[in-house]
Amino acid sequence: MGPSRPSADDSESANTSGVRSGKSKVQTEEKRVLGNKLFVGNLSWNTTSDQLHETFAQFGEVTEAKVITDRDTGRSRGFGFVTFTDSDAGEKASSALDGTELDGREIRVNEAQDRRGGGGGGGGGGGGGSYRGDRQRW
């Protein structure tokens, strides 16, 4: 007789224990991180990351505050993100600051959404030549 093969029962128990717990842990961590991160919109082009940090720090420990800038010009794109160490502070800040004025503008504060893949770039489309459906090629 040759070497023994693992049975279907052996492989199923090995796969399900590692894979399922790993995925749920990752999904849980992802939700937790997003719960701590706020999107801040309608910012003045003059608002800095330091001003954003200072404004939100009154609600809890801020781990990151960043105004998003255009990569070519370096100018603010009018929105940013603030990340708190815990989601309770983020919820308090969102409730208290949404609709308030910062640097002369009424800001929007919401929980940040998970970025969906793809983004940017746009269509393109075909080019050149013409199409004639009735034309036969030999």
Side-chain angles (χ1 to χ4, degrees):
M1 285 188 137
S4 67
R5 295 178 144 177
S7 69
D9 291 335
D10 292 339
S11 63
E12 282 180 18
S13 63
N15 286 342
T16 56
S17 65
V19 173
R20 286 188 185 163
S21 65
K23 278 188 178 181
S24 64
K25 183 178 178 184
V26 169
Q27 290 168 349
T28 304
E29 286 176 17
E30 225 173 85
K31 282 185 178 181
R32 194 176 328 125
V33 169
L34 290 177
N36 299 353
K37 191 170 191 174
L38 299 177
F39 168 83
V40 185
N42 202 34
L43 292 175
S44 163
W45 286 346
N46 299 320
T47 303
T48 65
S49 294
D50 288 340
Q51 287 173 305
L52 208 56
H53 187 282
E54 189 177 302
T55 302
F56 282 81
Q58 61 187 315
F59 297 96
E61 187 179 344
V62 174
T63 56
E64 182 183 31
K66 184 171 185 167
V67 173
I68 304 303
T69 55
D70 182 270
R71 99 180 85 186
D72 295 328
T73 65
R75 199 164 114 178
S76 170
R77 294 189 56 201
F79 68 94
F81 295 95
V82 177
T83 307
F84 285 92
T85 53
D86 71 283
S87 58
D88 289 340
E91 288 176 24
K92 288 178 190 172
S94 178
S95 297
L97 294 174
D98 185 37
T100 62
E101 193 172 296
L102 176 64
D103 218 4
R105 307 244 339 179
E106 188 177 303
I107 61 171
R108 293 279 150 230
V109 182
N110 302 304
E111 186 177 336
Q113 300 296 310
D114 188 14
R115 210 166 134 168
R116 295 194 175 52
S130 64
Y131 172 76
R132 294 175 133 182
D134 59 327
R135 183 173 167 190
Q136 292 185 5
R137 297 185 181 255
W138 299 101

